[in-house]
Amino acid sequence: GGTFCAATSVALRAMRARAIEALRDLVTTINDTSGRVAAAAEETRSIAERLAAASREQASQIETSGN
């Protein structure tokens, strides 16, 4: 009885340690991914602003050439 309980306890502690490590890895991956998503969103915003500015400039040039 006692040996089985001790072995089971050791096995459960090892499983818990592996689960905790897996969760830490998951959190790290989530944090890294969210950082990349934020950077991509910022880049998209910047591109959209440049496109909008270019569109305004093009519209201004069309208006100027039409007059």
Side-chain angles (χ1 to χ4, degrees):
T3 304
F4 176 77
C5 288
T8 302
S9 179
V10 168
L12 289 174
R13 281 197 302 273
M15 288 173 57
R16 188 177 76 184
R18 285 193 300 271
I20 290 170
E21 187 60 32
L23 287 171
R24 284 185 182 135
D25 290 346
L26 178 60
V27 169
T28 298
T29 299
I30 290 169
N31 287 338
D32 291 347
T33 301
S34 66
R36 287 196 300 272
V37 168
E42 176 59 27
E43 184 177 358
T44 300
R45 185 197 60 76
S46 177
I47 291 168
E49 286 180 355
R50 290 197 307 269
L51 288 171
S55 293
R56 287 190 298 273
E57 176 63 26
Q58 188 176 38
S60 176
Q61 289 175 359
I62 290 169
E63 287 175 8
T64 301
S65 68
N67 293 330

